Amino acid sequence: MGSAEAVLFEDKRLRREMTSGNMAFAEAMRQINPDVVAAYPITPSTEIPMKFAEFVANGLVDTEYITVESEHSAITACVGASVSGARVMTASSANGVALMHEIFPIAAAFRAPIVFGLVNRSLGAPVNINCDHSDSMPERDSGWIQIYCEDAQEVYDTALLSIRLAEHKDVLTPIFVCQDGFITSHCYEPVEFLSDEAVKEFVGLREAVYPLLDVDNPVSYGSFVTSEYYFEIKRNQIEGMNNAIRVDGEISGDLARLTGREYPPLDCYRTDDADYVAVIMSSATGVVKDVADELRARGIKAGCIRVRMFRPFPSKEISAALSGKKGVAVLDRSASPGGVSPLAAEVKSALYMSCRDGFVPVFEFIYGLGGRDLFPDDVKAVFEKLRAGNCGCGASYIGLRDKMGGGD
Amino acid sequence: MSCAPCWQDILPGTITLGASSRSVETGLWRSVRPILDAGKCVSCLRCWVQCPDSSIQTCDGGTVQGIDMFFCKGCGICAAVCPVGAISIRPESDFLEETGPSGGVNPVKVGELVGQC
Amino acid sequence: MGGVNVRELTGRNNPLAEGHRMCPGCGAPTALRQAFMGIDDPVVVVGATGCLEVSTTVYPYSSWRVPFMHVAFENAGAAVSGVAAAHKAMGRRGLFRDGIKFVAFGGDGGTYDIGLQSLSGALERGHDFTYICYNNQGYMNTGAQRSGATPRSASSTTSPAGRLIPGKLQRAKNLTEIAAAHDIPYVAQTTLHDPSDLIKKVRRAVETPGPAFVNILVPCALFWKIDPADQVKICRLAADSRFWPIYEVANGERRISYTPKKPVPVEDFLRAQGRYSHLFTDEANRRDLIDQAQADVDAEWEKLTGNAKPQS
């Protein structure tokens, strides 16, 4: 325990408990005490609205909790409340997220700073309740910030800082706080919580601009806009996204002063002198880091980058971190049939402008669809392929049963 | 002369300001025009209550004063519901010699904010 | 006009301001304008996608003198739920004015069809709001397609009267009764035949705590193929023929608000509109469908009056 941390414990500003990602998000919601929550249950995020209902039933929050009849209505009610000036949170997964799809760009365009616990689950069909990122990836162009958390602690911390990031006047953009379904959402691990007072002080109160409920200064949201104005309105909106990395840095710094934990957009592990780097997101990162350690012990300079912030994508940062590498493997937990997998596409795109400084080969791997685990041997095989330089042009599949033998 | 705003000057969240359409001259759509005969009008307010465009002008006591040609689209409902025949409908072509805005109460034209710099 | 002092109302600014781009003679702005005449409190309006929403919010202008929000087509019920909940939550913190009333509106597309689930959820949850359906019996914003509110035999662009099929084959669903089946405190149905009836019903809907639903039949001159000036006349025919019964359901009790002394045949209502003209051509002579329309009206009226108290 570092000295700053020790002081915090003495202050009783921190408590440590065994909990899960869902419970950590729900606990953050209790401490944030949002004005409005509208949610509809879906596995594996169901525990969040369930736990929050308990808080409401026991008077632990002041929230108006709207138990809607669908995810579409959940996000719609959230938009209505957020535009009204309220602080709003919700949660969902998979097909629930897909049903909400129509409303996400509207929320973003309305600059409605909703904080959304997105518990990643594969998008049917076939129906599967386990983790992959096929539910959140289709929303990457919806205008929402997307942050992918590695563990329950990060889920908790990110929920807190997302309130301030989303509501910041230079950002005003809704946020998906993503965690891996079941792996993070349901597994119990130690999490440090701030005191209720510390959270209250950290998140402050929302100061809405142009709240709908200001009947003395009436404004209209959701106009019909011709091509004379649409472009300027969208560009104005995009500026909020463009400011997010800078503002996130400021708010993360504030949170780090309370917790000792820092969250840059990229989590770079032993990459500075690495020859080979694997890029990944969310809960499987630990496997890659372990393998990097093991390979380093054998004299192979391996490293790992975990992309925490996927929207806005930290292109400059990743380009700098990967320039000069002998090989990069991007491990995607979702596919883009007919195209490049989402994370690989971003990484390749980021490196394109720096390719004059030296070509960095980037290879695309798809793993873990429908909740299939990623094992150390899988990752070792990825690094072996990188070293051999025989990864091919298209995506390789990790841990797939394959008659051609390509799945190992 | 006003100017269509650049993206930096757009209000956030798609918003527009309340009642700003009062500067939109929908009277330009009109092909026929209601003419009020104040001598016949009994201010029963049937036209006022049925006008889709809030174009029947009244004074404080609820007496009909006239018809706002800046907004009136010429649907003819006012004439149809008038119990005393105080409103007649005439083609706009009868008024071609008029110059300037047909109503004149509101200075801003449709599209004034569009495309001018 | 019975029970409503219109002269007094002329001194007020209507929440729906001038300069909107609804077609000349459209019934929808008349309905909403009259609806707002009876509301004394500050009001926030939520609109489903549709003609009225689009035509009142053509950027950079808004025809709403009061706060207004449009989210999408199928979700006005959920959107107003969120706004009302936010008002409750922030009211407890002393933010914003007390006593704000919440009114959502949609056309029959956004209410009978694509928005029914969202509306039903909001009615069931019991938020304090009033939902107004301006029902022109079809999808007008996209060009006069049939909806679940389109009556039998009407010719629409997706139920066109052709050589084989004589317009829409199905009856309209009865949304007023569907709303009433939620056992909400107040449900009403009216048209533009009598402004005082509309004004009073919406006032009662808004003043009643909890959810309320008002279904207002409004003509679309383009779809119904009528002279826009005939708006009120057509609405009177709808009421006098009992094609559109004028009634309310307050706390579960049905009350007929207007009983025509001598009902006119529904044929008069149909004949006045171009959307039924295929029933009246010499070669078609669809007396059977005209009779069917009368039978539909009579059956609905009987069902309704069997459940209702007569006008007191």
Side-chain angles (χ1 to χ4, degrees):
Chain A
M1 194 183 285
S3 60
E5 209 179 332
V7 170
L8 290 168
F9 271 103
E10 279 166 25
D11 276 357
K12 296 195 173 125
R13 300 194 75 181
L14 288 177
R15 70 192 147 90
R16 182 175 280 158
E17 277 176 27
M18 288 296 288
T19 195
S20 67
N22 274 346
M23 291 298 118
F25 191 83
E27 176 65 0
M29 287 172 78
R30 182 189 67 73
Q31 294 181 311
I32 290 162
N33 194 13
D35 296 304
V36 175
V37 167
Y40 191 78
I42 182 169
T43 305
S45 58
T46 306
E47 288 181 323
I48 295 171
M50 253 164 62
K51 188 70 189 168
F52 196 75
E54 261 179 53
F55 296 148
V56 174
N58 291 307
L60 300 180
V61 287
D62 307 312
T63 308
E64 278 297 311
Y65 184 37
I66 315 176
T67 47
V68 280
E69 82 298 333
S70 73
E71 286 92 353
H72 194 281
S73 286
I75 190 65
T76 299
C78 286
V79 168
S82 184
V83 160
S84 295
R87 179 169 279 168
V88 179
M89 299 181 79
T90 187
S92 192
S93 299
N95 297 53
V97 171
L99 184 58
M100 293 173 170
H101 171 78
E102 183 203 18
I103 307 304
F104 289 144
I106 297 172
F110 284 6
R111 314 300 292 274
I114 300 159
V115 174
F116 187 123
L118 197 160
V119 183
N120 283 114
R121 166 186 154 185
S122 64
L123 195 57
V127 177
N128 168 278
I129 58 169
N130 297 107
C131 174
D132 65 37
H133 299 160
S134 58
D135 52 356
S136 55
M137 281 302 164
E139 309 308 333
R140 64 192 189 269
D141 296 333
S142 64
W144 286 52
I145 292 168
Q146 291 197 347
I147 300 173
Y148 288 78
C149 301
E150 185 179 0
D151 54 29
Q153 181 69 64
E154 188 177 349
V155 169
Y156 173 75
D157 294 340
T158 305
L160 303 186
L161 74 82
S162 290
I163 291 287
R164 276 182 51 187
L165 177 58
E167 294 175 4
H168 192 283
K169 65 176 175 45
D170 294 344
V171 177
L172 279 179
T173 300
I175 301 181
F176 293 122
V177 179
C178 302
Q179 58 173 305
D180 280 354
F182 289 109
I183 304 163
T184 310
S185 68
H186 282 65
C187 290
Y188 274 60
E189 53 185 313
V191 173
E192 284 175 9
F193 294 103
L194 291 169
S195 68
D196 291 0
E197 293 69 32
V199 170
K200 196 174 170 187
E201 194 182 319
F202 177 76
V203 297
L205 290 173
R206 180 178 172 201
E207 287 172 28
V209 293
Y210 303 107
L212 186 72
L213 288 174
D214 185 356
V215 289
D216 301 309
N217 297 287
V219 294
S220 297
Y221 278 86
S223 304
F224 170 80
V225 179
T226 62
S227 45
E228 297 282 358
Y229 293 97
Y230 183 89
F231 210 164
E232 282 74 22
I233 292 173
K234 293 316 279 187
R235 176 62 186 87
N236 183 284
Q237 176 198 327
I238 289 166
E239 191 64 4
M241 183 67 86
N242 291 348
N243 292 331
I245 288 186
R246 169 180 60 80
V247 175
D248 177 60
E250 295 163 16
I251 297 169
S252 289
D254 288 351
L255 188 66
R257 278 188 282 283
L258 285 177
T259 65
R261 289 180 293 275
E262 286 191 52
Y263 294 106
L266 298 179
D267 168 12
C268 295
Y269 183 75
R270 305 186 82 164
T271 51
D272 284 353
D273 67 338
D275 293 326
Y276 303 99
V277 175
V279 181
I280 194 165
M281 298 197 302
S282 303
S283 67
T285 307
V287 180
V288 180
K289 287 179 178 174
D290 275 355
V291 168
D293 288 344
E294 198 181 320
L295 294 178
R296 288 220 170 224
R298 284 162 37 194
I300 300 162
K301 289 183 175 173
C304 171
I305 292 179
R306 179 174 70 91
V307 174
R308 167 176 149 83
M309 187 169 271
F310 187 76
R311 282 288 180 275
F313 193 78
S315 296
K316 261 187 275 175
E317 290 81 352
I318 205 156
S319 172
L322 293 177
S323 72
K325 302 305 175 198
K326 290 181 182 166
V328 172
V330 181
L331 276 59
D332 263 284
R333 202 160 197 158
S334 63
S336 174
V340 179
S341 303
L343 183 57
E346 296 296 339
V347 172
K348 287 182 181 185
S349 171
L351 283 170
Y352 180 75
M353 287 311 286
S354 58
C355 67
R356 275 172 302 195
D357 306 331
F359 176 70
V360 179
V362 178
F363 300 104
E364 188 186 342
F365 295 86
I366 293 172
Y367 79 99
L369 300 193
R372 185 156 299 177
D373 284 325
L374 181 71
F375 294 99
D377 283 348
D378 298 327
V379 179
K380 279 179 213 162
V382 166
F383 277 108
E384 282 311 310
K385 282 188 173 180
L386 275 187
R387 291 179 69 208
N390 67 346
C391 301
C393 292
S396 303
Y397 297 86
I398 300 174
L400 177 76
R401 291 186 297 277
D402 185 343
K403 277 185 175 175
M404 306 299 286
D408 53 2
Chain B
M1 190 183 289
S2 58
C3 171
C6 294
W7 71 264
Q8 291 90 344
D9 300 323
I10 293 277
L11 292 173
T14 77
I15 64 164
T16 52
L17 303 182
S20 44
S21 76
R22 299 194 74 246
S23 57
V24 175
E25 188 181 358
T26 54
L28 294 170
W29 301 8
R30 216 170 36 246
S31 59
V32 295
R33 179 182 293 204
I35 302 295
L36 176 73
D37 183 341
K40 286 189 191 168
C41 175
V42 293
S43 286
C44 68
L45 298 172
R46 285 180 205 190
C47 57
W48 180 84
V49 79
Q50 296 289 5
C51 176
D53 297 301
S54 310
S55 298
I56 307 296
Q57 297 163 316
T58 57
C59 70
D60 291 345
T63 309
V64 173
Q65 298 291 294
I67 301 170
D68 190 340
M69 289 300 142
F70 190 83
F71 296 117
C72 169
K73 297 168 187 161
C75 68
I77 289 174
C78 52
V81 298
C82 181
V84 295
I87 299 174
S88 54
I89 299 290
R90 285 172 59 190
E92 274 296 319
S93 53
D94 289 358
F95 304 94
L96 288 177
E97 278 153 33
E98 274 187 4
T99 53
S102 52
V105 296
N106 241 315
V108 183
K109 292 280 180 55
V110 179
E112 187 176 69
L113 301 175
V114 179
Q116 300 171 356
C117 254
Chain C
M1 292 175 207
V4 174
N5 186 342
V6 175
R7 205 160 300 282
E8 220 167 67
L9 299 178
T10 60
R12 300 186 189 179
N13 276 331
N14 198 285
L16 178 58
E18 303 84 347
H20 62 74
R21 326 274 181 103
M22 294 298 272
C23 298
C26 176
T30 314
L32 268 290
R33 186 172 161 258
Q34 290 181 0
F36 288 120
M37 286 177 189
I39 306 176
D40 295 322
D41 300 295
V43 62
V44 172
V45 179
V46 172
T49 308
C51 291
L52 188 65
E53 168 272 316
V54 168
S55 304
T56 54
T57 62
V58 180
Y59 198 89
Y61 305 107
S62 170
S63 305
W64 296 96
R65 205 174 247 118
V66 295
F68 174 83
M69 178 179 69
H70 156 249
V71 180
F73 192 6
E74 70 285 54
N75 58 357
V80 77
S81 303
V83 179
H87 183 242
K88 244 171 129 176
M90 289 190 291
R92 284 199 287 270
R93 292 204 273 120
L95 296 175
F96 305 114
R97 280 220 243 161
D98 286 339
I100 298 176
K101 301 295 185 188
F102 300 96
V103 174
F105 70 77
D108 49 293
T111 311
Y112 276 66
D113 291 347
I114 200 169
L116 182 56
Q117 172 185 317
S118 171
L119 173 64
S120 174
L123 297 180
E124 182 267 333
R125 290 189 299 272
H127 303 278
D128 189 4
F129 75 107
T130 296
Y131 192 103
I132 296 173
C133 175
Y134 68 96
N135 172 12
N136 48 30
Q137 304 191 316
Y139 304 153
M140 298 307 106
N141 200 30
T142 43
Q145 290 84 31
R146 62 91 85 187
S147 77
T150 307
R152 190 171 357 232
S153 299
S155 180
S156 78
T157 56
T158 51
S159 65
R163 279 193 298 278
L164 187 64
I165 303 173
K168 193 187 169 194
L169 297 174
Q170 303 83 8
R171 289 169 67 178
K173 70 170 98 163
N174 191 332
L175 187 64
T176 305
E177 288 299 323
I178 292 171
H182 289 76
D183 277 338
I184 56 173
Y186 188 73
V187 172
Q189 175 164 301
T190 189
T191 181
L192 306 177
H193 70 300
D194 173 6
S196 70
D197 184 74
L198 197 161
I199 293 168
K200 276 191 290 187
K201 278 179 173 156
V202 174
R203 178 184 287 161
R204 182 158 182 191
V206 168
E207 287 175 359
T208 301
F213 176 80
V214 184
N215 195 349
I216 307 175
L217 182 74
V218 298
C220 167
L222 297 176
F223 173 38
W224 293 23
K225 298 190 174 69
I226 59 169
D227 181 340
D230 287 342
Q231 186 187 93
V232 178
K233 191 179 93 186
I234 296 284
C235 291
R236 283 195 188 125
L237 282 172
D240 286 339
S241 65
R242 307 188 300 200
F243 170 85
W244 190 253
I246 310 300
Y247 73 106
E248 61 188 356
V249 190
N251 297 314
E253 197 172 284
R254 275 164 189 69
R255 188 175 294 277
I256 308 289
S257 335
Y258 172 67
T259 307
K261 287 191 184 72
K262 189 171 179 294
V264 302
V266 76
E267 181 176 348
D268 293 5
F269 174 69
L270 306 181
R271 195 181 282 278
Q273 303 167 56
R275 62 176 169 158
Y276 296 107
S277 61
H278 56 288
L279 305 183
F280 297 100
T281 57
D282 287 342
E283 62 270 33
N285 187 22
R286 295 306 300 261
R287 175 46 57 189
D288 57 327
L289 291 174
I290 299 165
D291 291 345
Q292 178 68 60
Q294 188 64 55
D296 287 348
V297 164
D298 292 344
E300 284 291 330
W301 183 261
E302 200 165 311
K303 201 158 67 181
L304 174 66
T305 49
N307 289 326
K309 290 192 172 181
Q311 196 174 17
S312 54

